[in-house]
Amino acid sequence: MHYLKMKLYNTLLIWVFLLSTQISKGQTSYQIAGQIHSAKSVSKVYLYQMDKGRKLLDSATIVDGKFSFKGQTAVPIAASIQVKGIRKSQDLYLENAVINLQLYESWNRPNIVIGGLENSIKKGMNSTPSTSRIHFQKSAGITKKLMKRVRSV
C-alpha cells in the first residue's frame, strides 16, 4: 500500500516537472491576428501599451478586414487595440502567445479576445457570477474525484 502511494506521488511530481518545463519554454513572442467587422472602410489599427496613459507600440495596415502584429515582451503588459475611425477599442494583455481578435464596430456586439493565459484569467474574472459558479463547481468536482483516487491508493 505504501509503495503504491509513493509511486503515485513520484508520478505526480514527474508530471508537474514536465508541465512546468513546457510552460517555461512556452511562446517566446506574441502574434496577434485580428479581423474587423465594420460597415466603414478602415485602413489602420494601433497597438497601445496602457501604462500611465497610452503609449503607441505598433500600427498595422488593415487588408480585407484583417490585420496582424508580431513582437516580444518580457512580461505581460496591459494593452489596447484601436481601429482608426472607430471609437470602440479593445483592452487586452499583451503576452508572448498567439492571440486572436474579432473586433466589432457595433456597441451591441462584444469584441472577442482568444489566447494567452492573462487574457483567459481576465475573461474568467469578467464573466457573470452564474458562469463563474458553474466553472468553479466543475473544477471542484474534478478535484474531489482526484483526491478520492489518491486516498484510495
Side-chain angles (χ1 to χ4, degrees):
M1 187 70 146
H2 179 68
Y3 171 76
L4 290 175
K5 283 185 180 180
M6 287 302 293
K7 187 174 180 179
L8 180 62
Y9 178 75
N10 287 336
T11 304
L12 286 172
L13 282 177
I14 290 169
W15 275 106
V16 167
F17 172 75
L18 289 174
L19 287 173
S20 67
T21 58
Q22 289 302 318
I23 290 170
S24 66
K25 286 181 186 175
Q27 189 86 16
T28 59
S29 63
Y30 63 82
Q31 299 173 7
I32 300 173
Q35 185 171 5
I36 309 228
H37 304 275
S38 172
K40 295 180 181 178
S41 177
V42 290
S43 61
K44 276 286 202 197
V45 62
Y46 302 97
L47 175 63
Y48 294 98
Q49 177 177 352
M50 305 304 286
D51 182 31
K52 299 176 186 168
R54 295 189 329 173
K55 175 185 169 192
L56 182 63
L57 294 177
D58 201 355
S59 66
T61 302
I62 300 168
V63 178
D64 295 329
K66 297 180 181 180
F67 66 90
S68 65
F69 293 104
K70 292 182 181 184
Q72 294 180 328
T73 182
V75 295
I77 58 173
S80 181
I81 300 277
Q82 177 74 52
V83 179
K84 183 177 182 181
I86 296 177
R87 293 185 62 204
K88 184 179 172 185
S89 63
Q90 177 60 52
D91 294 337
L92 66 136
Y93 283 101
L94 187 59
E95 56 188 306
N96 292 330
V98 175
I99 301 170
N100 292 296
L101 300 174
Q102 294 290 317
L103 303 177
Y104 296 92
E105 176 186 8
S106 170
W107 290 89
N108 296 327
R109 299 265 331 247
N111 294 330
I112 300 170
V113 179
I114 299 173
L117 178 63
E118 297 294 327
N119 289 309
S120 298
I121 292 169
K122 179 183 177 193
K123 185 184 239 180
M125 293 183 77
N126 290 339
S127 65
T128 63
S130 61
T131 306
S132 297
R133 185 171 42 255
I134 290 168
H135 290 298
F136 178 74
Q137 288 171 344
K138 285 182 181 177
S139 64
I142 292 169
T143 304
K144 285 179 185 177
K145 287 178 185 177
L146 180 61
M147 292 306 294
K148 283 181 183 178
R149 286 183 186 168
V150 170
R151 287 182 187 139
S152 66
V153 173

